Amino acid sequence: MGQLKKLFPETINKFIEPFVGGGSVFLNTKANEYLVNDIDTNVINLHKTLSKFDIDTLLNELSKIVHNYGLSFSFKGITVPDNLKRQYIKTYYAKYNKLAYEKLRKDFNNDKNNILYLYILLIYGFNRIIRFNSKGNFNLPVGNVDFNINVYNALKNYISFMQKNKIHFENNDYINFINKIHFENNDYVYLDPPYLISNSEYNKFWNISNEIALYKLLDELNLKNIKFGITNLIHHKGQTNKILKNWSQKYKIFNINSNYISFNDNTIKTDSKEIFVTNYNGVFYG
Ligand SMILES: C[S@@+](CC[C@H](N)C(=O)[O-])C[C@H]1O[C@@H](n2cnc3c(N)ncnc32)[C@H](O)[C@@H]1O
């Protein structure tokens, strides 16, 4: 975000994010209002559900779930017994929470309307990501993490942002989402699409024709003088995204240093190269 922020326009009216995911970008960007979208219904349900709470009520509701299932809760001082910590030096949270987590996952999969269950699964799950199998069941194993002070602070900042700002969430394909927008002066579209050349969970429905359609849409926005900025992976594990490479030549290209992390392998990929492409002039501090 530190690198990206310097490349965003100084004044933003509507911040428009068609591939919002967890929201780390809009949550760290100043704008008059926010229109954010994702095709993943669970992701948008999580945002819509969490953002309705005040922090105390939310913590209360989440605490009930954590207590009912008997998960560790370092934020409240309920942690793993010392003997387990000594026995499993690096994996004691996972060892302690495994059975309770699996029971919670089973209960969530039986009734997927309980989005707070999904949030707790995310917090205690492997790599803190969302993954559903082909039958539509959440299927991540327990992670070696729990609800700690960092989770609480992130949640508190999130809720505070939601209370102070005007945010509209949508669950749609990005093309339908963008086509419905009434664009005004200083509106800005930031895109972090699935990456064609990596194999993250959210890339499974993304292919070459999606990639081509995306750049066609951005060219159309450009013709309408709508400002956009897009981040994407240009090199990864010996592959190059040639469609991106060719298309980006007509715009401004910035290198982004990122520690790209794949969903099933959390070791850092040093050969990955990410770029940011924009169609606007501005004061770039980067
Ligand atoms: C690279 S991730 C975005 C990550 C985000 N910047 C964050 O901070 O979490 C790409 C996102 O695009 C979403 N996505 C994939 N195909 C889509 C489509 N056709 N329309 C809208 N969203 C889509 C995925 O569900 C995923 O959340």
Side-chain angles (χ1 to χ4, degrees):
M1 265 322 288
Q3 298 172 69
L4 275 186
K5 260 180 148 162
K6 296 175 190 159
L7 303 172
F8 283 1
E10 249 179 306
T11 308
I12 302 175
N13 179 40
K14 290 200 284 293
F15 184 79
I16 297 157
E17 213 186 331
F19 304 96
V20 72
S24 53
V25 181
F26 86 91
L27 290 166
N28 288 291
T29 303
K30 220 169 151 275
N32 291 338
E33 61 179 298
Y34 303 80
L35 303 188
V36 300
N37 172 74
D38 203 286
I39 202 163
D40 189 318
T41 306
N42 288 299
V43 167
I44 294 301
N45 279 347
L46 268 168
H47 281 300
K48 283 187 173 167
T49 305
L50 294 177
S51 61
K52 280 196 196 110
F53 285 95
D54 64 76
I55 185 65
D56 293 337
T57 315
L58 180 57
L59 183 63
N60 230 342
E61 292 301 312
L62 295 174
S63 301
K64 278 188 219 157
I65 302 170
V66 172
H67 288 311
N68 283 348
Y69 281 85
L71 291 156
S72 68
F73 200 174
S74 6
F75 176 64
K76 294 231 169 149
I78 302 166
T79 182
V80 176
D82 285 345
N83 62 337
L84 211 62
K85 283 188 180 169
R86 278 194 297 272
Q87 208 180 342
Y88 302 101
I89 294 169
K90 289 193 172 155
T91 55
Y92 53 83
Y93 279 120
K95 291 280 175 210
Y96 185 80
N97 288 321
K98 187 173 187 292
L99 291 179
Y101 175 90
E102 286 172 359
K103 168 91 174 73
L104 175 65
R105 190 178 61 190
K106 189 164 164 243
D107 291 347
F108 170 73
N109 283 329
N110 281 336
D111 172 13
K112 303 210 178 62
N113 292 318
N114 199 331
I115 296 298
L116 293 187
Y117 278 19
L118 179 60
Y119 178 74
I120 294 293
L121 287 173
L122 193 61
I123 294 305
Y124 287 78
F126 180 73
N127 270 359
R128 292 214 168 121
I129 57 173
I130 296 185
R131 190 179 68 190
F132 285 82
N133 63 18
S134 54
K135 289 187 190 137
N137 287 331
F138 185 86
N139 72 346
L140 273 183
V142 68
N144 195 37
V145 281
D146 85 340
F147 195 123
N148 56 26
I149 181 76
N150 298 332
V151 173
Y152 175 74
N153 286 337
L155 210 47
K156 201 167 107 186
N157 291 338
Y158 177 89
I159 296 294
S160 153
F161 186 93
M162 294 297 158
Q163 288 171 339
K164 287 187 196 135
N165 292 287
K166 209 171 143 194
I167 300 140
H168 171 77
F169 290 107
E170 199 164 318
N171 177 211
N172 212 333
D173 178 68
Y174 76 98
I175 298 182
N176 299 332
F177 167 71
I178 289 181
N179 284 339
K180 281 198 302 187
I181 295 171
H182 169 66
F183 283 97
E184 297 164 294
N185 222 3
N186 288 329
D187 285 353
Y188 176 56
V189 185
Y190 167 72
L191 310 99
D192 186 22
Y195 310 133
L196 189 64
I197 53 170
S198 81
N199 63 353
S200 278
E201 175 64 8
Y202 45 66
N203 297 345
K204 61 187 175 194
F205 301 119
W206 196 260
N207 56 32
I208 289 179
S209 48
N210 294 122
E211 188 83 6
I212 293 170
L214 172 63
Y215 298 136
K216 185 169 165 275
L217 184 106
L218 292 184
D219 287 340
E220 285 164 17
L221 292 184
N222 184 52
L223 286 176
K224 293 181 196 157
N225 287 325
I226 296 163
K227 290 180 194 158
F228 69 75
I230 173 169
T231 36
N232 209 333
L233 209 52
I234 191 152
H235 297 297
H236 182 60
K237 284 189 170 173
Q239 289 188 78
T240 297
N241 182 338
K242 296 201 184 89
I243 306 170
L244 168 66
K245 197 173 171 196
N246 292 335
W247 170 82
S248 59
Q249 298 307 315
K250 53 188 156 183
Y251 299 109
K252 291 183 189 62
I253 307 170
F254 299 86
N255 289 324
I256 299 289
N257 298 320
S258 76
N259 293 333
Y260 179 76
I261 293 171
S262 152
F263 87 99
N264 50 9
D265 174 3
N266 58 8
T267 58
I268 293 168
K269 302 284 179 281
T270 44
D271 76 325
S272 296
K273 190 176 158 205
E274 201 166 332
I275 57 169
F276 177 72
V277 183
T278 68
N279 68 335
Y280 49 89
N281 292 313
V283 186
F284 296 116
Y285 306 99

